Amino acid sequence: MNIDTLLPMLLTVIAAATPLLLAAIGELVTEKSGVLNLGVEGMMLVGAVIAFAVTVGTGSAILGIIAAAFAGIALSLVFGLLTLTLMANQVATGLALTIFGIGVSSLIGSSYIGTPVEKLAVLHIPGLSDIPVLGPLLFGHDILVYASVAITVLVAWFLKSSRAGLILRAVGESDLSAHSIGYDVIKVRYLAVMFGGLCSGIAGAYLSLSYTPMWVEGMTAGRGWIALALVAFASWRPWRVLGGAYIFGGVTILQLYLQGAGGIGIPAQVMNMLPYLATIIVLTVISAGPWRGRLDAPACLGKPFRPAS
Amino acid sequence: MIRPIDRRTFIVGGAAAGLTLASGALHRASAADPLKIGFIYVGPVGDFGWTHGHDLGRKAVEAKFGDLVKTTYVENVAEGPDAERVIRKLATDGNKLIFTTSFGYMEPTLKVAKAFPKVFFEHATGFKTAPNVAVYNSRFYEGRAVVGHLAGSLTKTGKIGYIASVPIPEVVMGINATAIWARKVRPDAEVKVVWINSWYDPGKEGDAAKALIDQGVDIITQHTDSPAPLQIAEQRGVLGVGQASDMKSFAPKAQLTAIVDEWGPYYIERAQAALDGTWKTSDTWHGLKEGFLSLAPYGDAVPAELRASADAIKAGIIDGSIHPFTGPIKDQKGEVKVADGAKLADGDLLGMNWYVEGVSA
Amino acid sequence: MALKIEARRQISTRMLYMTPFIAVAATVVAGFFLFMMLGADPFEALYVFFISPLETKYGLSELGVKAAPLIMIAIGLALGYRANIWNIGAEGQLTLGAVCGGAVALAFWEEQGLYILPLMALAGMAGGAAYAAIPAFLKTKFNVNEILTSLMLTYVATLFLAVLVFGPLKDPMGFNFPQSRMFSDSATLPIIWEETRLHIGFVVALLAAVAGWVLLTRSIIGFQIRTLGSAPAAARYAGFDRTRLTWFCLMLTGALAGLAGTFEVAGPIGQLVPNISPGYGFTAIIVAFLGRLHPLGIIASGLLMALSYMGGENAQINLSLPQAVTGVFQGMLLFFLLASDFLVRYRVRRVKPLAEGV
């Protein structure tokens, strides 16, 4: 395989990995604060339809993306209200949010079926984008691809080096101690949940504006669930989320290319299993290998905060 | 989501007993007492593909008969344990004609039909009929023969991409029809198939299109439901063919044509029969001739002389002078499966599980 | 005067039983406005949603048909969740159970006998448990997160089922269509209510719930599960074997999900097809938590969840509401049910402003 075939394949991988990365990195922050929001799929769908509707309505994709971010936040606030203020069970509320989001998105979207929209433009950087091979690979993407990587970098820095990130982690590890030294646990968790909603909304916008610029019902096709699994895959570490998204996207794309190359005598269903099996195997190797670290699941994940009063 | 397929030319269950009309004429008093018609869909009406097509058929029935009918639909009903309940509910609620529009509804439809002998059932793409269960499907492969001709004529690289859902005979048939007719004009043409094991995943369909284009394919055809592959074709400057609906709005330059599902005329015909009291079971496998499918207007990429030759094939299929599966047809190993001049029988077509020469899958 | 939220010293038993009704009442009010906004007659809509499925014998029986797998799976899940074992792959375990139970049915297709169904049930349970053993093994041996493994294996299971029904298990007389033969009568579940589809699986589900309740409240392993969930540190000091508990919970859930899968193919479906479950394995997660992880609560929540799906179907049929509306309504119902949990643990009291009091 030479560079001429490898390059477009890598570009396809980047496109496939971006929505997973966006949704997963948001969920990672949510989970780091100790909250498990299983409503990613629903928030992505609402983000997708709002991005599409606003872009078609205003002609501005940027407004569409912003609207999608707010739509994601709005849905996440419903989740926050239930789980943080009213202390409802997080797992069930997240699943209910997905059911709700699927319904809301198809209600809003019914009048947009069959409408095309301009694909999100590539940000052309004069000079850089024109470099052979590296140009298109590194500088030939739309704004959301850059955003996905930028958000990952920021989140990694935020969690590791910022004071606010430290507080967030403290809240996720031990809400009672964080509370007792004076941090507002609920407020921190609200912000983290909203960030997750924002990222899921943008991930949805990427689907309906760039990946497949259209609106059709249920267009996420389960990507929200994969994003959730990737957070666990990454052992709650931002860089590993990036790695996981690209491994999953990469194997998905690779098997399509292998099929296109004439197949290798393996049934197509087995080829389609590969991305799932690959993630399991890679995680097993990481977890079992000599470099295994301490498991980073936040200690309070999924548990409601009930301050003794 | 498995959905489509076929028919067979035999009647299962109660064949001897019930070839008469299931229940005699329906008695309808007046327009105030409309004929209730139910539809059950496997996907959302907003899929812009299979279910969308059937829902257009439903709307055509409403438009045609107005107050004489009242239609109802249930969407997103999974094939499996839920289907029987929904079909039964439609029957209980007084629907006298019920269209079950996915292959996986076959057994549930038959079960409910047994309990409601006076209700007429129409099952899409199945092969088992009963006195009050008719089956219907479209000869999509006829459209694919024309598509194969266009693709074979227009491909520069000789490689045609085919994004396929699940390996059922109907899909295999479409792949083969495309390959046979492409190779008539371009003997070295290769049809490259990528299976995504889903009827509906826009992202993955688009990715499969990218994978094919990167491997030298310059015409994309598909047997999945979303316009994503065609969009990718447009973006990459290659050509493509729409599926189920005219998808030109998504690919104004790339779309050569589209194989458009036309369920409306059949639904109208059957509703009329139910209204008239002349409904009886049948096994309908119609194609271009009867208008079960149509080809969307050719795109600008199709030159005039190619339009003429494609139209000639279409006309030949319609008047019966052309059968898309006429021998000699060889399989992938080069063995002759259909002798020179012979036509593949419907029964063999319906169970097709082998590829013709030129298919790479 | 102001309102103050106050934790109850102990959870309110009265509220525990009241809250589902409060939630339904709130949903009715909210639903009233939702339907009015969408131009449907709200009274009729609510009636169709909640009452119409229960009016007929057939509707009642279908409630059982739909609730049985949900209850059975949720029982297993609830035990695991109590011990903080996050199996979200019951759907895959169900699929494998259906495959194994179905394979037995097809292997004995020409035989008759009372032994076939029990054999299928055993095979189904073994299949589901074996599939759940993969995350259990990876979790206990390599500390691999079970959320990821169990979910990913669900997708693999669906594709595996496809390999079989498109290949070795497809009906030899079925013209290459992807489905198996219809099972023989000996491999079909007995119907417990004439003229309906209600099968013995519903009774088994209820028995499983009772057994789960006994296990949880009366057995040592139940005590260990409860301790592990509520006081992990105490469980560690007490020397509970976490590995053993992880295996136990995952295998039990897998076996129950596998049994539910076998019952689906041996009952309502009657053959192996590429799509067996309409998401029962995932819906059961909601059922487990709605039932507050309590086996008897799960019976109620399983029935309620089944009702909400059937109500949604009826609303589409009788009111021509699109499925989207029923999804929104179902989401709302769940939100209210979940939120009402709050009233069990907290109360809202009026308090006098500070100035007056002092």
Side-chain angles (χ1 to χ4, degrees):
Chain A
M1 196 176 276
N2 60 27
I3 194 73
D4 288 338
T5 54
L6 196 60
L7 177 65
M9 191 169 137
L10 289 174
L11 291 175
T12 308
V13 171
I14 291 172
T18 297
L20 300 175
L21 176 56
L22 278 167
I25 198 74
E27 176 68 13
L28 179 132
V29 171
T30 304
E31 291 190 16
K32 268 290 188 188
S33 80
V35 181
L36 181 63
N37 183 355
L38 296 187
V40 176
E41 180 92 353
M43 296 189 294
M44 280 176 81
L45 273 171
V46 173
V49 74
I50 293 288
F52 190 89
V54 171
T55 305
V56 169
T58 65
S60 159
I62 294 299
L63 285 180
I65 293 167
I66 293 171
F70 277 104
I73 291 174
L75 238 62
S76 73
L77 280 173
V78 173
F79 176 85
L81 177 72
L82 282 156
T83 58
L84 300 176
T85 304
L86 297 175
M87 282 164 269
N89 177 271
Q90 293 173 8
V91 175
T93 308
L95 290 166
L97 190 70
T98 289
I99 295 176
F100 185 74
I102 292 171
V104 168
S105 65
S106 66
L107 262 189
I108 298 173
S110 57
S111 51
Y112 293 97
I113 310 287
T115 311
V117 70
E118 190 79 12
K119 185 181 188 312
L120 199 55
V122 166
L123 282 188
H124 189 87
I125 305 162
L128 292 178
S129 300
D130 303 323
I131 304 170
V133 185
L134 279 183
L137 191 60
L138 296 178
F139 306 106
H141 303 289
D142 57 55
I143 186 167
L144 289 178
V145 174
Y146 298 121
S148 70
V149 178
I151 292 174
T152 308
V153 174
L154 281 174
V155 166
W157 169 82
F158 171 80
L159 288 175
K160 188 154 184 272
S161 312
S162 80
R163 190 177 136 72
L166 189 72
I167 297 170
L168 182 104
R169 282 190 293 146
V171 164
E173 288 302 330
S174 173
D175 44 13
L176 289 173
S177 333
H179 175 70
S180 63
I181 51 175
Y183 294 120
D184 188 339
V185 171
I186 297 297
K187 187 177 134 199
V188 170
R189 288 189 174 168
Y190 257 108
L191 291 172
V193 164
M194 286 163 69
F195 183 76
L198 180 147
C199 289
S200 288
I202 295 180
Y206 182 77
L207 291 181
S208 67
L209 297 182
S210 174
Y211 193 33
T212 51
M214 64 172 108
W215 165 253
V216 280
E217 280 183 41
M219 67 186 298
T220 44
R223 286 180 179 74
W225 298 105
I226 302 296
L228 275 165
L230 288 178
V231 180
F233 172 88
S235 314
W236 292 268
R237 290 171 204 187
W239 289 110
R240 285 195 189 171
V241 166
L242 187 132
Y246 278 79
I247 289 172
F248 188 88
V251 180
T252 307
I253 300 306
L254 183 68
Q255 66 93 359
L256 293 174
Y257 276 79
L258 282 175
Q259 284 193 48
I264 40 177
I266 296 173
Q269 289 105 343
V270 177
M271 297 289 283
N272 277 288
M273 287 178 194
L274 290 179
Y276 309 108
L277 293 174
T279 9
I280 293 177
I281 292 166
V282 172
L283 180 60
T284 305
V285 171
I286 293 174
S287 304
W291 51 84
R292 71 191 281 181
R294 139 188 111 79
L295 201 65
D296 273 352
C300 296
L301 188 60
K303 299 195 184 87
F305 170 61
R306 296 197 177 107
S309 57
Chain B
M1 228 186 297
I2 297 310
R3 148 259 273 174
I5 322 324
D6 309 10
R7 113 220 22 275
R8 185 99 309 109
T9 46
F10 65 89
I11 294 192
V12 177
L19 278 180
T20 51
L21 290 190
S23 66
L26 283 167
H27 297 294
R28 292 187 332 96
S30 66
D33 183 18
L35 174 74
K36 290 178 80 177
I37 307 176
F39 293 79
I40 165 170
Y41 301 142
V42 71
V45 293
D47 68 356
F48 207 62
W50 179 256
T51 293
H52 183 70
H54 287 282
D55 201 49
L56 290 178
R58 179 186 68 82
K59 287 178 176 157
V61 170
E62 285 208 319
K64 166 89 182 171
F65 295 106
D67 290 344
L68 291 174
V69 299
K70 181 178 182 309
T71 69
T72 301
Y73 69 87
V74 189
E75 58 184 323
N76 259 334
V77 180
E79 297 173 338
D82 288 345
E84 187 179 333
R85 174 175 61 251
V86 174
I87 298 168
R88 185 177 285 265
K89 170 79 179 156
L90 284 167
T92 315
D93 272 23
N95 288 288
K96 293 296 176 206
L97 178 62
I98 296 174
F99 291 89
T100 58
T101 63
S102 185
F103 172 71
Y105 299 150
M106 183 163 75
E107 299 297 341
T109 303
L110 289 163
K111 275 190 223 165
V112 179
K114 223 180 241 177
F116 290 86
K118 292 190 175 173
V119 175
F120 307 135
F121 295 85
E122 296 270 352
H123 177 229
T125 73
F127 57 82
K128 292 185 184 174
T129 61
N132 59 335
V133 180
V135 293
Y136 63 99
N137 196 6
S138 177
R139 293 182 186 263
F140 294 114
Y141 68 87
E142 294 182 348
R144 300 217 179 259
V146 181
V147 164
H149 176 74
L150 293 175
S153 308
L154 289 171
T155 178
K156 296 192 181 77
T157 60
K159 291 174 182 168
I160 298 160
Y162 204 108
I163 298 157
S165 44
V166 293
I168 52 176
E170 168 136 342
V171 176
V172 173
M173 205 188 308
I175 293 168
N176 286 340
T178 308
I180 290 168
W181 284 82
R183 285 166 73 91
K184 283 188 198 288
V185 280
R186 176 80 186 247
D188 66 339
E190 182 191 7
V191 173
K192 282 174 169 290
V193 185
V194 170
W195 298 96
I196 66 162
N197 272 290
S198 165
W199 286 100
Y200 183 64
D201 180 340
K204 210 166 176 187
E205 291 169 46
D207 287 343
K210 290 179 192 168
L212 286 162
I213 294 167
D214 289 343
Q215 289 171 351
V217 159
D218 60 357
I219 313 247
I220 292 284
T221 60
Q222 65 183 92
H223 202 144
T224 53
D225 279 346
S226 89
L230 205 54
Q231 268 187 324
I232 298 297
E234 179 89 2
Q235 288 165 18
R236 297 285 184 96
V238 302
L239 301 169
V241 177
Q243 163 83 5
S245 312
D246 186 343
M247 294 177 167
K248 187 159 187 179
S249 58
F250 288 97
K253 279 188 274 192
Q255 182 175 290
L256 297 173
T257 180
I259 298 173
V260 181
D261 300 357
E262 303 276 8
W263 303 110
Y266 181 74
Y267 290 177
I268 288 171
E269 179 193 324
R270 302 303 280 176
Q272 186 72 59
L275 283 164
D276 297 345
T278 56
W279 191 99
K280 55 182 150 184
T281 187
S282 59
D283 181 343
T284 307
W285 195 18
H286 284 172
L288 284 168
K289 183 177 163 204
E290 299 86 357
F292 265 41
L293 70 155
S294 66
L295 292 166
Y298 298 119
D300 295 341
V302 187
E305 60 281 21
L306 184 54
R307 290 176 187 217
S309 58
D311 279 341
I313 293 169
K314 196 163 83 177
I317 292 172
I318 290 173
D319 69 24
S321 61
I322 292 177
H323 186 292
F325 288 95
T326 305
I329 298 174
K330 291 181 188 166
D331 68 6
Q332 278 175 309
K333 292 184 204 113
E335 259 173 59
V336 177
K337 298 284 273 194
V338 183
D340 198 356
K343 289 170 186 157
L344 198 59
D346 278 1
D348 295 326
L349 262 179
L350 290 165
M352 195 171 234
N353 64 347
W354 51 275
Y355 297 114
V356 301
E357 212 174 24
V359 174
S360 144
Chain C
M1 200 180 68
L3 295 175
K4 183 169 187 273
I5 294 169
E6 207 176 71
R8 295 177 190 274
R9 282 212 184 72
Q10 59 190 104
I11 62 167
S12 157
T13 323
R14 191 168 60 99
M15 275 296 171
L16 196 62
Y17 296 109
M18 287 273 295
T19 47
F21 297 98
I22 297 175
V24 170
T27 313
V28 167
V29 174
F32 192 89
F33 290 107
L34 174 76
F35 291 124
M36 218 157 61
M37 240 168 56
L38 294 165
D41 176 350
F43 291 105
E44 198 189 353
L46 290 166
Y47 169 82
V48 166
F49 224 98
F50 287 115
I51 313 288
S52 76
L54 306 174
E55 279 182 331
T56 60
K57 171 186 172 187
Y58 186 76
L60 280 175
S61 71
E62 283 295 307
L63 196 66
V65 172
K66 183 112 191 162
L70 293 176
I71 293 171
M72 219 182 295
I73 300 167
I75 294 296
L77 288 176
L79 291 174
Y81 294 156
R82 275 178 179 255
N84 279 329
I85 293 157
W86 294 102
N87 175 12
I88 54 173
E91 182 83 357
Q93 292 141 27
L94 178 154
T95 304
L96 256 284
V99 164
C100 293
V104 169
L106 295 170
F108 289 88
W109 191 67
E110 285 165 340
E111 313 288 322
Q112 286 175 0
L114 290 173
Y115 64 95
I116 294 179
L117 271 174
L119 203 60
M120 286 167 64
L122 281 177
M125 289 168 74
Y131 210 52
I134 301 172
F137 173 76
L138 293 174
K139 168 88 179 174
T140 53
K141 186 90 181 162
F142 302 115
N143 206 18
V144 182
N145 184 287
E146 72 276 16
I147 296 180
L148 177 112
T149 48
S150 61
L151 181 66
M152 293 293 182
L153 285 171
T154 295
Y155 299 106
V156 176
T158 312
L159 289 162
F160 178 64
L161 171 66
V163 171
L164 294 178
V165 289
F166 280 100
L169 295 184
K170 91 183 150 192
D171 183 354
M173 306 297 287
F175 307 96
N176 293 317
F177 282 79
Q179 55 179 17
S180 79
R181 293 170 146 136
M182 293 300 285
F183 296 169
S184 67
D185 286 348
S186 294
T188 309
L189 289 179
I191 298 294
I192 56 173
W193 200 3
E194 266 175 56
E195 293 167 10
T196 74
R197 295 199 295 167
L198 192 65
H199 52 80
I200 195 92
F202 182 65
V203 178
V204 177
L206 296 182
L207 291 176
V210 174
W213 180 68
V214 172
L215 179 84
L216 199 59
T217 53
R218 300 275 184 274
S219 75
I220 293 184
I221 199 151
F223 173 69
Q224 293 183 342
I225 287 171
R226 281 181 293 145
T227 314
L228 196 65
S230 55
R236 227 176 4 254
Y237 289 129
F240 295 166
D241 186 345
R242 181 154 180 110
T243 300
R244 210 179 108 236
L245 281 177
T246 303
W247 273 98
F248 177 80
C249 289
L250 275 163
M251 299 287 277
L252 184 72
T253 314
L256 283 169
L259 188 62
T262 300
F263 283 174
E264 285 307 296
V265 293
I269 303 179
Q271 64 186 145
L272 280 180
V273 290
N275 304 289
I276 288 167
S277 156
Y280 283 144
F282 294 111
T283 310
I285 300 175
I286 305 187
V287 169
F289 283 105
L290 269 188
R292 303 201 168 98
L293 303 184
H294 189 289
L296 303 183
I298 283 169
I299 296 179
S301 63
L303 289 169
L304 183 68
M305 210 54 205
L307 177 67
S308 79
Y309 279 106
M310 289 173 60
E313 289 163 7
N314 286 6
Q316 289 189 64
I317 294 171
N318 297 80
L319 305 170
S320 306
L321 288 175
Q323 204 207 17
V325 176
T326 71
V328 171
F329 184 70
Q330 198 182 19
M332 265 172 34
L333 171 67
L334 292 171
F335 288 155
F336 283 117
L337 280 168
L338 293 163
S340 68
D341 208 17
F342 180 73
L343 296 170
V344 178
R345 294 174 188 281
Y346 294 83
R347 60 180 159 199
V348 180
R349 263 203 341 177
R350 288 181 191 167
V351 291
K352 289 183 178 156
L354 215 56
E356 252 178 71
V358 181

